[in-house]
Amino acid sequence: MELRSVEELMDLLHACRGAWDTPDLPRSRLHPSGGRPVGDPVDLHDHALQTAALLRRGRPSDKELQVAGLVHDIGHLLRPGDDAGHADHAADAIRPLLGERVSRLVRLHVAAKRYLATASPRGLPPRSTSTPAAQGGAMTPREATAFEHDPLAEDAVTLRQADDAGKVVGLYAGDMEDWRTVLELVAERSARLGAVD
Ligand SMILES: [Fe+2]
Ligand SMILES: [Fe+2]
């Protein structure tokens, strides 16, 4: 599925309210066997807003990075249950609308997690360590080196850090509608550049 308008994307972002990254285990938050947390503790709507707000604070001039943070997990809605493919589904869907760089940042958010798991295996908060296995586990040294050579690697890691921090239960991070004009701006710039055919 490809998103062709900001309107369509906004509808999808609003639909993130009450949607979770682990649709099969929506609110039980605890693993039945050991009490281990599964999935994120906030819904995809709050997670999107918190991630984007953190990036706006840290990188105020980089609107593309901010909207990448906003939309990075919409793959969970586009193809529910396909955790391994969620970054690719989101990246493919937004590419025609938001352009190549935003699409690549979204695509890299899983790789960046694997990279961070490699670089500092104990540095990730407990909830994040459960996902990399399903999404490929830590990187091999060769994969990590290749990742570091990607020109977007640093931005992807910045997004990932906001992603991992943007999971605070009950934290208000703004209104989804506040992002409509920012999305329109990025979409207009992308259309003007004509970078995507
Ligand atoms: Fe994700
Ligand atoms: Fe996320």
Side-chain angles (χ1 to χ4, degrees), residues 118-174:
T118 312
S120 60
R122 295 199 186 101
L124 292 173
R127 282 185 192 92
S128 293
T129 52
S130 61
T131 323
Q135 295 172 359
M139 286 181 168
T140 64
R142 187 189 293 260
E143 285 175 319
T145 304
F147 178 82
E148 283 164 356
H149 281 88
D150 191 304
L152 288 180
E154 215 179 303
D155 292 341
V157 166
T158 300
L159 192 161
R160 184 73 231 187
Q161 286 163 339
D163 182 359
D164 286 333
K167 302 177 179 181
V168 181
V169 177
L171 175 68
Y172 176 72

Side-chain angles (χ1 to χ4, degrees), residues 15-16 28 50 60 65 70 78 81 84 89 100 111 113 115-116 118 134 163 182 184:
C16 286
S28 63
Q50 289 184 23
L65 183 62
L70 188 74
L78 295 168
H89 297 316
E100 187 64 28
K113 177 183 229 168
Y115 174 74
L116 285 172
T118 312
D163 182 359
V182 184
E184 279 165 358

Side-chain angles (χ1 to χ4, degrees), residues 21 40 44 47-48 51 69 71-74 76 86 109 113 159-160 162-164 166-167:
D21 66 341
D40 291 340
L44 292 171
H47 177 52
T51 304
V71 305
H72 76 279
D73 269 342
I74 60 169
H76 288 300
H86 81 280
H109 89 267
K113 177 183 229 168
L159 192 161
R160 184 73 231 187
D163 182 359
D164 286 333
K167 302 177 179 181

Side-chain angles (χ1 to χ4, degrees), residues 1-6 8-10 12-13 64 67-75 78 86-107 159 183 186-187 190 196:
M1 178 198 179
E2 289 185 347
L3 294 164
R4 290 290 173 185
S5 69
V6 169
E8 239 182 307
L9 177 55
M10 283 301 298
L12 198 60
L13 287 167
E64 290 185 345
V67 302
L70 188 74
V71 305
H72 76 279
D73 269 342
I74 60 169
L78 295 168
H86 81 280
D88 289 333
H89 297 316
D92 292 343
I94 54 137
R95 188 172 175 268
L97 186 63
L98 301 177
E100 187 64 28
R101 179 164 175 258
V102 178
S103 173
R104 290 213 63 235
L105 286 169
V106 169
R107 200 180 300 278
L159 192 161
L183 287 167
V186 172
S190 164
V196 178

